[in-house]
Amino acid sequence: MKKYLTIYVFFVCAVICACKQKAASDDDSGGTDNVVTPVTITHPSTGNMNETVQIDAVSSFLLKTYAKANANGYLQAVNVHLGQFVNRGEVLFVIKTKEAEALGNTITSLDTSLHFMGTISIRSPGTGFITQLTYTAGNYVQDGEALAEITDTKSFVFLLDLPYELKPYLPGNKTLELHLPDSSVLTGYLESSLPTIDSADQTQRFIIKVNTDKNIPANLIAKVNLVKSEKTNTVSLPRPAVLTDETESQFWVMKMINDSTAVKLPVTKGLQTKTDIEILSPHLSASDSILLTGNYGLSDTAKVQIVKE
């Protein structure tokens, strides 16, 4: 009797455990089916798009002038310092000739009415900034020696080293925008090019002329966006809305078909910018709702909840 009772109790326990496992399994499967992903959506936009390539351009002064000594003597005065802006004709140096240094006092003592000074003023040959000083006051200089180097502000340009394979795009870039590190933008145009190619990186140097009143230093790097192709009235989506596989051979978006379901829609992309991607096919309208965030890793048909647009 006890034997049969034990078997009965064991059987009942087994049935209860099996029922609990089935119920847990049913709960798990039901939970999986009811997973809802929070997402945000966007809508296709229609407008102009252009594909650009970014190249560095470096500021430079093409011409430099030199203030030179025109006699042998001693620098009696130096009226400038490095970085100073000077105008054409401004007195930069005063030279006292060696003859005046030796005979000046003697001549003055013989005839005080002569007022013999024996000094020569060296004036700036151009307008610009002092970028180099060779001598200081009291130094002896010889005739023809360069005393200072002056940049010619009128020769200010940006130098663009353009890869030769991009040269065919130049006719479509009559004007160029130069983006400076301080977020300011200058407008320039290609003035001329040098008839040589750098043998190492196969680039050709172009001179970009800009019209600006700003005092821009030499060797400043600006970003130039060269337009490679341009389209008008094209449909595009923000970059995060377009998904791809690991090999980037297939592209798709997640499109809403109702208020809570998104399906996978293969697309063909065209031009790309930093923020947007052109959609060539299929045709999308401005009323279509495309997942912008929360779209990564979703299945072909996914339950979603729109949290904001």
Side-chain angles (χ1 to χ4, degrees):
M1 182 68 178
K2 291 182 179 180
K3 178 179 179 181
Y4 291 107
L5 181 60
T6 301
I7 294 174
Y8 176 75
V9 171
F10 178 79
F11 177 75
V12 171
C13 292
V15 172
I16 293 174
C17 291
C19 291
K20 289 183 177 180
Q21 291 178 356
K22 185 176 184 304
S25 176
D26 291 342
D27 290 342
D28 292 342
S29 62
T32 302
D33 293 340
N34 295 327
V35 170
V36 178
T37 304
V39 297
T40 60
I41 64 172
T42 186
H43 302 282
S45 60
T46 302
N48 299 336
M49 286 189 66
N50 54 57
E51 185 176 7
T52 61
V53 58
Q54 193 174 79
I55 309 173
D56 291 341
V58 182
S59 62
S60 178
F61 294 94
L62 294 182
L63 298 178
K64 296 179 181 180
T65 56
Y66 296 89
K68 296 183 178 181
N70 54 9
N72 297 332
Y74 297 90
L75 281 179
Q76 191 175 48
V78 177
N79 301 326
V80 291
H81 55 80
L82 282 176
Q84 181 178 337
F85 182 83
V86 296
N87 294 302
R88 183 183 180 89
E90 184 176 339
V91 177
L92 306 183
F93 304 93
V94 177
I95 297 178
K96 189 171 186 179
T97 63
K98 63 178 182 178
E99 292 81 9
E101 186 72 20
L103 302 176
N105 295 332
T106 303
I107 295 176
T108 303
S109 63
L110 293 175
D111 188 351
T112 57
S113 64
L114 292 177
H115 298 290
F116 178 75
M117 300 295 294
T119 58
I120 301 173
S121 296
I122 306 298
R123 300 180 180 274
S124 174
T127 299
F129 293 92
I130 302 293
T131 55
Q132 183 178 351
L133 283 175
T134 312
Y135 296 97
T136 60
N139 291 152
Y140 179 78
V141 297
Q142 294 183 355
D143 185 14
E145 283 190 298
L147 305 179
E149 180 185 77
I150 307 167
T151 60
D152 187 346
T153 53
K154 294 182 180 179
S155 69
F156 179 78
V157 296
F158 278 86
L159 300 178
L160 176 71
D161 291 326
L162 183 73
Y164 195 75
E165 64 268 19
L166 298 180
K167 191 175 180 180
Y169 300 113
L170 289 182
N173 291 267
K174 299 298 183 182
T175 60
L176 298 172
E177 287 188 349
L178 295 94
H179 298 262
L180 305 186
D182 63 354
S183 299
S184 60
V185 180
L186 299 179
T187 301
Y189 61 92
L190 291 175
E191 185 179 52
S192 60
S193 62
L194 301 184
T196 56
I197 296 290
D198 188 282
S199 59
D201 53 14
Q202 291 296 289
T203 57
Q204 185 175 9
R205 175 158 291 185
F206 287 82
I207 298 174
I208 302 177
K209 189 71 175 178
V210 294
N211 296 319
T212 179
D213 296 329
K214 297 177 61 177
N215 291 328
I216 300 176
N219 300 322
L220 180 69
I221 298 178
K223 303 294 183 181
V224 179
N225 291 322
L226 192 68
V227 178
K228 296 177 63 176
S229 57
E230 188 172 9
K231 288 186 178 181
T232 59
N233 297 323
T234 185
V235 178
S236 63
L237 283 171
R239 273 183 170 271
V242 182
L243 304 172
T244 184
D245 56 9
E246 294 180 354
T247 60
E248 296 187 0
S249 58
Q250 297 180 349
F251 302 89
W252 68 90
V253 298
M254 298 300 294
K255 179 181 177 181
M256 298 291 295
I257 58 174
N258 55 41
D259 294 339
S260 59
T261 306
V263 297
K264 184 177 180 180
L265 180 66
V267 297
T268 303
K269 66 183 184 69
L271 296 182
Q272 300 184 68
T273 67
K274 290 183 177 180
T275 57
D276 302 297
I277 295 179
E278 178 191 14
I279 304 300
L280 298 177
S281 65
H283 175 72
L284 298 176
S285 64
S287 60
D288 292 331
S289 297
I290 308 297
L291 299 194
L292 181 64
T293 62
N295 52 357
Y296 182 77
L298 292 182
S299 58
D300 188 4
T301 302
K303 296 293 182 181
V304 298
Q305 179 183 5
I306 300 175
V307 294
K308 65 176 180 179
E309 291 195 23

